[in-house]
Amino acid sequence: MKLKFSIHYRTEWGQQVVLALSYHHTDGTTRTSRLPMTTQDGELWAAETAAVESRRSPIRAFTYVYLIEDADGHELRREWDMVPRTYELDATKTYTLDDQWHDIPLPYHLYSSAYAVTTGLMRDPETDRQPYGQAFFRKTLLFRVSAPQLSAGQQLAILGSHPVLGAWSEARYQLMEHIGQCEWMLSINADAVQLPLEYKYVVIDSQKRELVKWEEGNNRFVDGTIADGEVRVLTGDALRLSEKPWRAAGVSLPVFALRSETSCGVGDFGDLYSFVDWVSAVGMEVIQLLPLNDTTVTSQWGDSYPYNIVSAFALHPHYLDLRQLGTLKDKHYMTSFKRQQSELNALAYSDYEAVERVKSSYVAKYFEEQGAALVTRPDFLQWEEQNRFWLDELDAFYATHHPQPSALTHFVQYHLHLQLKRAADYARSKGIVLKGDLPIGVNRQSAETLAHPDYFNLDGQAGAPPDATSHQGQNWGFPTIHLSAPAVDRWMALRMKHMEQYFDAIRIDHVLGYFRIWEIPADQLFANMGHYEPALPLTPGEIGHFGLSFRRDFLTRPFINDRVIDRLFGIHAQYVRDTFLEKKAYGLYDLKAEVATQRRIYELFHERNDENSQWIRDGLYRLVANVLLLEDTHQPDMYHPRIQAWQEPVFEALSTEERDAYMRLYNNYFFQRHSMFWGKTGYDRLSSLLRHTHMLVCAEDLGMTADCVAPVLDSLRILTLEVQQTPKQTGVEFTHLDGNPVRSVATITTHDMAPLRLWWQENPALAQHFWTTMLQKQGRAPEQLPAHVAEEIVARHLYCPSMLCILSLQDWLAIDSSLRSNKLREERINDPRDPYNRWQWRMHLSIGDLLKADRFIQKLQTMVVRSRRSANG
């Protein structure tokens, strides 16, 4: 049998269209080949091949995807293949496939599992992938179309000009077969059909068997001739029908913040059931969570940071629901545990260290009593084998940091998996989407860095550059990842596949890091000593091209003279000269080796807590950073401008002409030089990451954003994050909500910000401006945010164009004066300026209290429905 392919694609010079063709055999094996296509005009590409059958294992079906490659065979672009082009293969037929390039569809969200869950479609991408069972004739026309716009209770049919397609009679439509993933197919006997043939797709009410809608636009048509034994495949455009706008509301909070009467000092996976019930009652459809990964290194407060994960796959043992696990046989121990549980639940916050002691002890005791029988069960052994690839790495990590039997580790992870999977399935059954979080990094001492050190740059630290809210920037501590490496690409794909078990939407943490990450050398502490990676550092010649004479020592070594020393150290200036500096010629100084880096300074001073020592320490930090250029750690004699160096004393040492030259260099480097480079890098990494996921993908794209970021996210149909108080446009104080893109998530505050009421109290000047400009109110803004004003702010977000409106629980509660907390400062989850922040916030109300708050439930329900963010809206 033959396969004949053709596609219209206008290539550029040196590019070629290539077909990646896979044959699926009846024994379950798949054979893949690469088929270069040919063209006469650079636009219409064609290829033909013969499928060679095997008597031992016949070919059951074939799948293919189009690629664009350069002259060296490097893949430049791949068409969207989340819904694969798969067809059953009849060995007696010749297949003619006239195709169009599949870009990511504009209504990409309609293909997501999040949309399916909230609309009741409940697609299963794992079981609905093979379009088998179509009838073939002597001459066959095979119609196939993608129709994600259909609602539950609707089917697709076809009507056309020939009697076999109903002769345009609305009562004689031909129903198509749903083959999964929004795809519909129909084969007809074309033996008696005279071409050309015109047709259209129509929507049918499944119950009434009545035609509901015709697709829009001109008639589709097929012309030419069909030979004996030919199967002509007609794909063309997706169903031409405008979709109903999909808008949803949701709530964000960490699992550890959930409070119930029966948990143990921290929220757990069992608490998700009742919280799902509350979310369903108020008409919301999304619950956004922080990362759920294990972070256990020292079992102390530092481990409470949910983004500093020790495994990309393991779940945190704190979230294990002990009620589902079971009761201990030791009655004395159970009595002691009940007392400890009561004490932990009485706290206003989640005490990480105490929870760790109590819950880990309980689980170890339970495993000692009953674990031996459970770890030999077939369901456990099957799960263990399926997840062996990361469990072995986790075992090695635990053996290094806090040894325990691998059977106990696997036992805990298995039950965490079961509990989260059941909670996620319960949410899906109620039409609620769980939205997960994909951290940008891993702990420096994680299972992955131990097993795969080549995946990471262990000499660097990821962070964020200085900005208006953080003068020093942020140093997250974990190593940067080699995201472009093929092995890392496969590892990231496994992470996405793993998360799909539990989540139908996902937040990509710090998506800017997929374009470029801020990397800080391991021997420095503050982000002002970092640079972007990957980047295009400057050569000495390029630096000179901007008008700045390249003087290596002056530009790259800390500039220290008496004036700088006196300014930074005051009364301690002479002590600093004598103790930490070496005098050079021309009135200049060098730092001694013991204080040559910020980390060495920290190690020298970390036990000196008096005011004078801190003054000297901070001044030494400033001296280290008093440079204009940073040499690239991977490319010798290549340089990056030090961010915000124009604020340092060394900048004052330049002449007027040199300052102008440096600023030209600086602005070119940070705002012009990398745009295309970072755009391609981000597109390649993100498109590879998202290639096969059905989760709705949302980006956290706040921060110092390059011009290339927005177009790439738009082309990949990734939802952006819009926060009114942190506009992305420079020179603007607040964004106008009506200007939010449709493909976005609107929120008031994030976990890294003060909740709305606290922000209002801490920023009276900004609150006043917001009061008069955004809320259009006169007079003086109230010092404390009233509930009715908070309600207006929430309502404005609900009515904005953003596809999703997900607000923190603190901000939802702000609209009800009887329910909101009286302790404002305790509601903040994280302060990025504080490297020792304790992630301890817990709801001051229990979920049971929320379920009993009928008036509040009714208010939220009304707001959600009126803003058309509910299935009933």
Side-chain angles (χ1 to χ4, degrees):
M1 96 287 295
K2 290 184 178 180
L3 304 177
K4 300 178 179 180
F5 303 91
S6 65
I7 186 171
H8 285 269
Y9 189 98
R10 183 172 296 175
T11 54
E12 298 178 5
W13 178 258
Q15 294 180 348
Q16 182 178 30
V17 181
V18 175
L19 191 75
L21 177 63
S22 299
Y23 295 108
H24 308 291
H25 295 263
T26 55
D27 64 357
T29 61
T30 297
R31 178 167 49 91
T32 300
S33 61
R34 177 182 169 277
L35 185 62
M37 304 184 75
T38 60
T39 182
Q40 298 298 320
D41 58 5
E43 182 171 347
L44 178 61
W45 294 80
E48 183 176 320
T49 187
V52 180
E53 281 279 27
S54 167
R55 292 183 179 179
R56 183 174 300 176
S57 178
I59 300 173
R60 185 184 185 191
F62 64 95
T63 299
Y64 64 98
V65 60
Y66 293 104
L67 316 173
I68 307 299
E69 294 184 353
D70 63 17
D72 297 322
H74 299 135
E75 183 179 318
L76 302 176
R77 193 180 181 205
R78 173 187 291 258
E79 70 171 345
W80 182 67
D81 61 343
M82 189 177 81
V83 181
R85 302 179 188 263
T86 300
Y87 296 94
E88 185 175 6
L89 188 66
D90 185 327
T92 65
K93 305 297 182 185
T94 294
Y95 287 74
T96 303
L97 304 109
D98 299 321
D99 292 319
Q100 294 181 4
W101 182 271
H102 281 178
D103 267 322
I104 302 176
L106 282 173
Y108 174 69
H109 61 280
L110 300 182
Y111 294 87
S112 70
S113 55
Y115 178 79
V117 166
T118 60
T119 55
L121 297 174
M122 295 301 289
R123 305 176 190 131
D124 186 348
E126 292 305 313
T127 59
D128 282 341
R129 287 197 174 180
Q130 308 302 334
Y132 299 139
Q134 294 296 320
F136 294 107
F137 310 95
R138 192 164 69 94
K139 298 179 180 180
T140 305
L141 279 175
L142 186 60
F143 299 89
R144 178 170 178 170
V145 67
S146 183
Q149 305 95 321
L150 300 189
S151 304
Q154 291 183 338
Q155 292 177 276
L156 202 64
I158 189 170
L159 275 174
S161 57
H162 193 275
V164 74
L165 294 180
W168 298 120
S169 170
E170 293 190 1
R172 296 173 57 193
Y173 55 78
Q174 291 289 316
L175 279 176
M176 304 182 73
E177 179 186 356
H178 184 227
I179 60 172
Q181 301 189 87
C182 311
E183 297 280 299
W184 296 77
M185 189 177 284
L186 173 68
S187 63
I188 65 168
N189 186 348
D191 202 15
V193 175
Q194 186 174 358
L195 302 182
L197 171 70
E198 295 186 75
Y199 64 98
K200 270 193 169 183
Y201 296 112
V202 293
V203 180
I204 307 298
D205 185 300
S206 302
Q207 295 295 323
K208 299 179 180 178
R209 296 291 178 179
E210 294 178 354
L211 190 150
V212 177
K213 291 179 183 176
W214 290 77
E215 75 166 334
E216 301 161 358
N218 296 328
N219 294 342
R220 300 173 188 254
F221 70 94
V222 53
D223 56 7
T225 59
I226 303 177
D228 285 351
E230 180 181 358
V231 178
R232 176 82 68 85
V233 179
L234 304 171
T235 52
D237 299 329
L239 179 66
R240 298 194 295 257
L241 198 64
S242 59
E243 73 274 10
K244 179 183 177 182
W246 180 57
R247 293 161 55 80
V251 59
S252 64
L253 86 167
V255 167
F256 62 73
L258 293 170
R259 181 183 291 275
S260 70
E261 289 79 5
T262 52
S263 56
C264 186
V266 65
D268 57 43
F269 292 150
D271 293 329
L272 283 171
Y273 289 85
S274 54
F275 193 69
V276 164
D277 290 339
W278 179 78
V279 169
S280 177
V282 300
M284 298 183 202
E285 295 173 323
V286 184
I287 300 174
Q288 178 174 308
L289 306 172
L290 292 183
L292 303 177
N293 304 72
D294 192 359
T295 59
T296 310
V297 178
T298 64
S299 298
Q300 297 176 344
W301 273 108
D303 296 350
S304 67
Y305 179 24
Y307 289 90
N308 205 16
I309 63 177
V310 300
S311 169
F313 303 94
L315 297 167
H316 203 301
H318 281 200
Y319 301 138
L320 190 67
D321 179 7
L322 302 182
R323 295 157 293 183
Q324 294 184 56
L325 186 64
T327 303
L328 298 177
K329 296 177 181 178
D330 187 328
K331 301 301 181 183
H332 176 73
Y333 194 102
M334 278 302 299
T335 300
S336 175
F337 167 74
K338 289 291 185 183
R339 177 182 54 78
Q340 293 173 317
Q341 179 187 35
S342 178
E343 292 173 353
L344 289 174
N345 282 337
L347 297 175
Y349 62 96
S350 180
D351 187 330
Y352 186 93
E353 294 179 351
V355 167
E356 170 68 22
R357 289 192 298 270
V358 172
K359 293 193 77 167
S360 61
S361 176
Y362 185 100
V363 171
K365 182 68 174 178
Y366 184 89
F367 183 76
E368 177 187 324
E369 288 183 352
Q370 306 173 47
L374 294 172
V375 295
T376 58
R377 285 169 29 182
D379 54 345
F380 171 82
L381 295 174
Q382 180 183 11
W383 173 86
E384 188 178 44
E385 188 59 34
Q386 291 172 344
N387 294 273
R388 179 69 63 186
F389 71 97
W390 62 267
L391 285 172
D392 287 347
E393 295 174 2
L394 187 66
D395 290 341
F397 166 79
Y398 270 89
T400 303
H401 292 85
H402 27 77
Q404 64 181 34
S406 61
L408 173 58
T409 303
H410 297 190
F411 170 82
V412 171
Q413 289 300 320
Y414 174 65
H415 283 280
L416 285 164
H417 160 73
L418 286 183
Q419 292 184 9
L420 180 56
K421 183 66 167 64
R422 289 167 183 164
D425 289 342
Y426 179 75
R428 289 169 178 140
S429 73
K430 305 276 279 188
I432 306 298
V433 169
L434 294 188
K435 181 182 175 186
D437 199 324
L438 181 69
I440 185 67
V442 300
N443 188 293
R444 185 170 294 276
Q445 304 175 62
S446 69
E448 277 80 17
T449 55
L450 184 65
H452 308 286
D454 53 311
Y455 288 9
F456 308 92
N457 176 25
L458 296 173
D459 294 328
Q461 308 166 93
D467 56 25
T469 60
S470 178
H471 176 69
Q472 299 282 17
Q474 299 175 40
N475 183 346
W476 301 326
F478 45 76
T480 53
I481 305 176
H482 300 310
L483 287 168
S484 297
V488 174
D489 187 51
R490 292 189 291 272
W491 174 64
M492 295 294 288
L494 286 172
R495 292 179 69 181
M496 296 291 282
K497 183 75 172 176
H498 188 77
M499 295 183 74
E500 276 193 327
Q501 300 176 92
Y502 317 117
F503 306 114
D504 295 296
I506 187 172
R507 170 189 179 270
I508 299 184
D509 174 45
H510 193 60
V511 76
L512 305 182
Y514 290 81
F515 295 79
R516 75 290 188 271
I517 193 76
W518 191 254
E519 185 176 87
I520 308 158
D523 59 359
Q524 304 294 355
L525 292 182
F526 300 116
N528 57 8
M529 291 300 289
H531 61 79
Y532 285 119
E533 178 64 32
L536 303 172
L538 299 158
T539 66
E542 287 178 301
I543 294 168
H545 176 75
F546 283 97
L548 184 65
S549 176
F550 184 76
R551 293 172 286 166
R552 180 186 174 92
D553 283 354
F554 174 73
L555 294 174
T556 64
R557 296 179 66 83
F559 177 76
I560 309 172
N561 62 13
D562 288 317
R563 183 179 178 184
V564 172
I565 298 168
D566 291 339
R567 181 195 301 185
L568 294 181
F569 298 98
I571 61 174
H572 303 294
Q574 192 57 47
Y575 171 75
V576 170
R577 290 187 186 95
D578 296 340
T579 310
F580 303 111
L581 302 178
E582 293 178 353
K583 192 170 180 59
K584 297 170 54 183
Y586 307 109
L588 300 178
Y589 297 83
D590 266 346
L591 290 163
K592 290 184 178 179
E594 59 265 30
V595 291
T597 70
Q598 292 173 343
R599 189 162 298 280
R600 291 181 184 178
I601 296 168
Y602 170 78
E603 291 170 354
L604 185 64
F605 282 86
H606 78 281
E607 292 183 351
R608 305 182 192 179
N609 298 317
D610 61 282
E611 181 182 354
N612 290 330
S613 293
Q614 292 183 9
W615 181 353
I616 295 171
R617 179 202 64 190
D618 293 345
L620 291 172
Y621 286 154
R622 285 285 305 276
L623 285 184
V624 170
N626 192 33
V627 296
L628 292 169
L629 298 177
L630 301 172
E631 187 168 9
D632 190 272
T633 52
H634 310 295
Q635 304 175 71
D637 210 26
M638 302 284 281
Y639 303 92
H640 307 264
R642 210 225 81 186
I643 194 166
Q644 295 184 352
W646 41 269
Q647 296 179 347
E648 299 298 336
V650 64
F651 188 73
E652 301 171 9
L654 298 174
S655 68
T656 302
E657 292 78 11
E658 288 175 326
R659 293 180 191 179
D660 291 342
Y662 182 82
M663 292 311 299
R664 286 195 300 271
L665 176 154
Y666 184 95
N667 290 327
N668 175 271
Y669 178 90
F670 281 105
F671 305 111
Q672 297 171 359
R673 183 179 179 88
H674 296 92
S675 187
M676 291 183 62
F677 174 64
W678 284 338
K680 185 179 186 308
T681 300
Y683 182 89
D684 290 345
R685 290 173 172 180
L686 288 171
S687 59
S688 178
L689 178 68
L690 309 180
R691 183 165 293 152
H692 299 297
T693 185
H694 287 261
M695 293 183 287
L696 180 69
V697 180
C698 310
E700 184 276 288
D701 57 332
L702 305 178
M704 190 173 173
T705 306
D707 292 340
C708 60
V709 172
V712 169
L713 297 183
D714 183 65
S715 67
L716 295 174
R717 317 299 186 233
I718 298 175
L719 276 66
T720 61
L721 179 62
E722 306 299 327
V723 183
Q724 192 171 22
Q725 292 97 310
T726 57
K728 296 171 183 173
Q729 184 179 352
T730 57
V732 176
E733 196 168 38
F734 307 108
T735 60
H736 292 275
L737 293 175
D738 288 342
N740 281 9
V742 171
R743 198 181 293 115
S744 69
V745 179
T747 192
I748 299 175
T749 59
T750 72
H751 63 268
D752 285 331
M753 301 168 61
L756 177 60
R757 290 195 298 143
L758 182 58
W759 174 84
W760 189 280
Q761 177 181 288
E762 290 182 338
N763 302 276
L766 283 175
Q768 181 65 51
H769 292 166
F770 189 88
W771 175 264
T772 55
T773 58
M774 295 294 104
L775 299 180
Q776 295 289 296
K777 298 185 183 297
Q778 298 179 350
R780 189 176 184 84
E783 292 183 7
Q784 304 295 328
L785 182 67
H788 71 277
V789 177
E791 182 176 341
E792 181 178 347
I793 295 172
V794 168
R796 286 170 179 258
H797 282 76
L798 285 171
Y799 280 92
C800 80
S802 297
M803 188 177 292
L804 300 181
C805 177
I806 303 177
L807 310 182
S808 68
L809 182 64
Q810 301 97 306
D811 291 346
W812 283 114
L813 290 172
I815 72 175
D816 191 304
S817 56
S818 65
L819 293 178
R820 63 190 196 175
S821 173
N822 294 323
K823 300 177 180 178
L824 280 183
R825 299 196 177 278
E826 293 181 4
E827 287 195 320
R828 180 157 195 164
I829 297 175
N830 179 44
D831 185 345
R833 298 166 298 184
D834 179 7
Y836 305 105
N837 180 79
R838 294 184 174 188
W839 299 66
Q840 63 182 15
W841 174 69
R842 204 172 183 207
M843 297 165 54
H844 67 287
L845 302 168
S846 71
I847 305 171
D849 294 331
L850 287 179
L851 285 166
K852 296 173 186 175
D854 295 333
R855 187 173 63 87
F856 183 57
I857 289 175
Q858 184 61 47
K859 176 184 283 188
L860 292 187
Q861 193 177 70
T862 301
M863 294 175 71
V864 170
V865 170
R866 286 181 177 175
S867 60
R868 299 187 180 277
R869 290 192 179 274
S870 168
N872 301 318

